[in-house]
Amino acid sequence: MDDINLHHRFLNWRRRIREREMGEVRPAQERFMRLLKNGDILSYQGNSDEVGCYVAPQPLSKGTCYFEVTIVDTGLRGTIAVGLVPRFYRLDHQPGWLPYSVAYHAVNGKLYNGNPLGQQFGPQCVRGDRIGCGIHSENPAAGITTVFFTKNGREVGSAEVPGTTEGLFPAVGMHSLGEVARVDLQAQWLLEEDESMMMVDSHEDDWGRLFDVRASGTLLEYVGKGKSIMDVGLAQARQPLTTRCHYFEVEIVDAGEKCYIALGLARRDYPKNRHPGWSRGSVAYHADDGKLFHGSGVGDAFGPRCLKGDIMGCGIMFPRDYILDGEADGDDWERLEDQPQPEGIQNVLYLNDEGEEEEEEEEEGDMEMERGQEGRKVAVRSAA
């Protein structure tokens, strides 16, 4: 009986070899868990406590070296990840978390390369954005594959990933209710050869002025001397906040020696060697001491200190009927310097009793600034 079983195993082995040689092997199957797939649409079906993951049936190759994922809905947290994984990757983990995988995560713009601890990589992605992933080159001898990522057709950056004998498969991860994405495994991304040295967007066009500050993608880095009070670096956006774009955030990637980072608003011709908030026509939240500075070198107690990893935000709460003439040009913003100072500063954190402070979910404050010919007011809102 043992000889008969051995003979049958041998025949099955020979049949599988013939099938492979003749191309008769069953096509690879796509794999997914806690996701619903309807055509090219993926939607999260878990309970937000567990990861859902999709793995495509075929790996990227020279013929098909790129794919894209469009964020249809960010759901509760926008935890959509796009990347490459081995064929039998665990479907209860986000792409990039486990070895031999890499992924760009929309929620924080970080790259995860075989490790659950990501590194800052590119901008965050929201509803309507397209995240692309492709292979630049492969070095089978060294076992290395160069993987690149794009946002809305523009390359963000690349990373080297250990290759596998079976290749790297397109993957999409989700982790919160309401997340929906469209997968295009046949997408194409073309780059002219003479543009190969300009693949990464420096975002320098976003900035009207950069003084002792270097922009690299979405990262800002202080490059001044830092020896005296006059060695301040300033990065000022080209466009002001408006009713259509009224909020921005900064994540502290590296706090440096003393975290002398300030976030706020200033007139267009603000002095280049002054922190926002120090001089007239500006207001800013300072990370090193948690104080609010409003046109003065003396700050007021306002919120918590901010450290590495913290995200500071600033925005304007316009009245619903507020209309800013010519806000696309940004010229009206300069008139802020001619308006009266606010009567006072209010912060939700400090208005509560000591016993209630621990119950606050976020520390944030409002400050009213006079604006416009009719004395209209807008509330400048900072948070950490």
Side-chain angles (χ1 to χ4, degrees):
M1 181 68 76
D2 291 340
D3 292 339
I4 294 177
N5 289 334
L6 182 61
H7 178 67
H8 281 297
R9 291 178 183 176
F10 176 74
L11 292 178
N12 288 333
W13 175 70
R14 290 184 59 184
R15 176 177 54 81
R16 288 196 296 270
I17 292 179
R18 287 197 302 270
E19 288 177 348
R20 290 192 182 97
E21 293 175 347
M22 299 174 63
E24 296 177 357
V25 180
R26 294 175 58 187
Q29 298 292 318
E30 57 188 3
R31 302 167 54 237
F32 52 91
M33 182 170 69
R34 301 190 183 97
L35 302 178
L36 176 64
K37 187 172 187 294
N38 184 7
D40 58 355
I41 298 294
L42 294 174
S43 56
Y44 181 75
Q45 298 295 306
N47 57 13
S48 289
D49 293 329
E50 299 172 310
V51 172
C53 186
Y54 165 84
V55 178
Q58 299 293 339
L60 291 189
S61 61
K62 291 183 179 180
T64 307
C65 61
Y66 180 75
F67 76 103
E68 281 188 343
V69 173
T70 301
I71 300 177
V72 178
D73 197 325
T74 56
L76 292 180
R77 299 197 303 270
T79 56
I80 296 174
V82 178
L84 300 174
V85 301
R87 180 177 181 180
F88 296 107
Y89 191 78
R90 289 184 56 178
L91 299 180
D92 58 352
H93 282 67
Q94 285 274 29
W97 282 3
L98 297 180
Y100 301 98
S101 70
V102 62
Y104 182 18
H105 286 226
V107 66
N108 53 18
K110 290 185 176 182
L111 181 78
Y112 291 76
N113 191 352
N115 194 313
L117 297 177
Q119 58 184 358
Q120 199 59 45
F121 182 70
Q124 296 179 346
C125 300
V126 296
R127 181 177 180 179
D129 284 338
R130 291 179 292 115
I131 302 177
C133 177
I135 293 177
H136 266 324
S137 61
E138 293 182 281
N139 187 347
I144 296 295
T145 300
T146 302
V147 178
F148 71 95
F149 292 91
T150 67
K151 177 184 176 183
N152 297 331
R154 304 186 72 175
E155 184 169 349
V156 176
S158 60
E160 291 187 342
V161 182
T164 66
T165 56
E166 294 184 322
L168 293 171
F169 292 68
V172 181
M174 298 182 181
H175 201 184
S176 72
L177 293 174
E179 292 176 345
V180 182
R182 177 181 292 107
V183 182
D184 184 0
L185 297 177
Q186 306 300 320
Q188 294 185 354
W189 184 74
L190 301 176
L191 182 67
E192 299 295 333
E193 292 184 1
D194 58 354
E195 295 178 353
S196 59
M197 299 303 294
M198 301 176 61
M199 292 183 294
V200 180
D201 183 9
S202 67
H203 291 268
E204 288 186 358
D205 291 342
D206 295 340
W207 301 99
R209 289 193 297 163
L210 290 171
F211 178 73
D212 278 350
V213 174
R214 178 171 58 210
S216 177
T218 59
L219 296 178
L220 295 176
E221 179 184 5
Y222 175 67
V223 293
K225 298 179 180 179
K227 294 182 178 181
S228 72
I229 195 172
M230 299 300 293
D231 294 330
V232 173
L234 178 69
Q236 188 174 46
R238 184 176 300 277
Q239 299 295 335
L241 296 187
T242 67
T243 54
R244 293 189 296 272
C245 182
H246 57 87
Y247 179 77
F248 70 102
E249 286 184 339
V250 169
E251 179 180 357
I252 302 176
V253 178
D254 191 331
E257 293 183 0
K258 297 183 179 180
C259 200
Y260 286 151
I261 297 174
L263 176 76
L265 304 173
R267 66 178 192 263
R268 188 164 62 180
D269 60 347
Y270 191 77
K272 63 184 180 181
N273 60 349
R274 301 282 288 172
H275 262 308
W278 281 0
S279 296
R280 214 167 149 223
S282 69
V283 60
Y285 182 17
H286 286 225
D288 63 309
D289 54 14
K291 290 185 178 181
L292 185 80
F293 290 76
H294 180 220
S296 171
V298 179
D300 296 296
F302 181 69
R305 295 180 178 181
C306 300
L307 305 171
K308 178 179 179 180
D310 286 337
I311 298 176
M312 304 173 67
C314 178
I316 296 178
M317 299 183 67
F318 292 95
R320 292 186 178 181
D321 59 346
Y322 190 90
I323 299 177
L324 177 58
D325 293 334
E327 68 176 14
D329 299 329
D331 294 336
D332 266 4
W333 191 252
E334 297 179 19
R335 294 204 295 269
L336 275 175
E337 63 176 298
D338 299 326
Q339 304 305 324
Q341 296 285 348
E343 296 180 357
I345 298 171
Q346 295 184 1
N347 188 304
V348 176
L349 178 64
Y350 290 97
L351 289 177
N352 294 324
D353 295 334
E354 293 181 359
E356 296 177 349
E357 291 180 1
E358 297 179 355
E359 298 179 3
E360 290 295 326
E361 295 182 356
E362 58 182 2
E363 296 83 0
E364 55 189 4
D366 296 347
M367 186 200 66
E368 293 182 342
M369 300 179 67
E370 294 285 349
R371 201 168 191 293
Q373 299 296 328
E374 300 178 358
R376 297 301 303 278
K377 294 182 178 181
V378 297
V380 177
R381 193 173 183 88
S382 299

